[in-house]
Amino acid sequence: MAHTDHQTMRRVLRREIAGTVGVLTDDHDFRAMRRYRSFTFDDHATYLRQLEAVLKARAAEGTHTTLALFDPEDYAAYCADAGLDPDAPASRSRFTAELAATGPTIPYDGRPLALLLPALVDEAVRQATWEYATTLLTRLGPCPTCGEDIGRAAFTRASELLVRILDTAPPGDRHLVCTVSGPPDTLVSVLHGDQDPQGATRLDEAEAMEFTSVLALGLATRSPGGLVMRTSATGTADRVYGWRLRGGALEPLTASEVFDAYCTDVESGDLIPPESGVDYREPPALGEESTARDHRH
């Protein structure tokens, strides 16, 4: 009887232990892991099918599982720094535990991996973009004129601009894209905002932080770029408008400029048909502060 009670308690405890699974999302990373003899899978598709079966079984037991992006290059560097044998399952487990605390993760919610893996990759890109933009903002240092921290001041200004952009937007769900061009890389950040029945906009905090950091970097470094807003509401045409990022300020685009941007193929430059049910227009005014060119970071 006591033995049965112990087994029951252990089953209950196993259900309450959350786990993290490191996932090889593409075939390139999968092939990189096949160099290790302890990694016994031969085919990426089979690996994903078996992984999905394990995830479903854990979910059926009531166990929560988090998916983490497993990068073979990061894993090899981690093992080298920690003095671990990379060809050991225990080393992979330790690395995965580290990912759970510091890396991009998403919860397994029962959806097929074909839908979850792109979301995991997007989360990894979002986190990398935020970390990169934050690092560059930090390196800007103090203003030589007034001594104010340039990165911090730009982030505050970008936050204020984002609030005004959302406050002046027409009713509906919002989709914003901010692009900042410059050496060595072009950064792109996307922010989604759903409007609740009371009219308030719900934002993902991590997305908002990344978006604000990218916008702040463009403002602080006076890099070229742009910001586009698209609002969608039932019963009305989608509204699209935007701003040009130039000289550390947002300049409103005309309706024809927004139309041209949406109806031109980025790679080839060829014209593409406009979307039906889309209203291209000039953006609402954000206030004089948004375009002022006095001493500003």
Side-chain angles (χ1 to χ4, degrees), residues 72-250:
E73 291 185 7
D74 289 347
Y75 171 64
Y78 171 82
C79 289
D81 291 341
L84 300 175
D85 176 10
D87 199 2
S91 299
R92 291 196 289 273
S93 297
R94 284 185 57 174
F95 178 67
T96 301
E98 186 80 11
L99 291 177
T102 62
T105 62
I106 61 171
Y108 175 71
D109 58 10
R111 285 181 293 166
L113 284 182
L115 298 177
L116 287 174
L117 294 189
L120 179 58
V121 173
D122 287 346
E123 175 64 17
V125 171
R126 182 205 60 74
Q127 182 170 316
T129 300
W130 174 73
E131 291 175 351
Y132 182 66
T134 301
T135 299
L136 293 183
L137 284 171
T138 302
R139 290 176 179 173
L140 294 176
C143 172
T145 302
C146 67
E148 186 175 12
D149 185 277
I150 296 175
R152 187 177 298 113
F155 187 88
T156 299
R157 182 174 169 226
S159 300
E160 294 170 350
L161 281 171
L162 178 57
V163 169
R164 285 202 294 275
I165 289 170
L166 293 172
D167 286 346
T168 57
D173 295 336
R174 288 84 187 268
H175 179 85
L176 297 91
V177 179
C178 181
T179 304
V180 174
S181 302
D185 298 306
T186 295
L187 298 182
V188 179
S189 181
V190 178
L191 178 62
H192 305 276
D194 297 328
Q195 197 168 51
D196 63 24
Q198 288 72 41
T201 301
R202 298 188 299 267
L203 301 175
D204 178 87
E205 183 177 352
E207 270 192 6
M209 287 289 289
E210 178 219 352
F211 189 90
T212 306
S213 298
V214 171
L215 176 57
L217 184 64
L219 296 172
T221 59
R222 299 178 177 266
S223 299
L227 193 156
V228 175
M229 159 76 87
R230 180 169 184 153
T231 60
S232 305
T234 304
T236 63
D238 284 10
R239 299 181 185 183
V240 178
Y241 52 83
W243 296 263
R244 179 184 295 107
L245 190 58
R246 175 185 291 172
L250 290 179

Side-chain angles (χ1 to χ4, degrees), residues 54-65 108-110:
V54 170
L55 293 170
K56 288 180 178 179
R58 287 175 58 84
E61 296 172 353
T63 302
H64 176 79
T65 307
Y108 175 71
D109 58 10

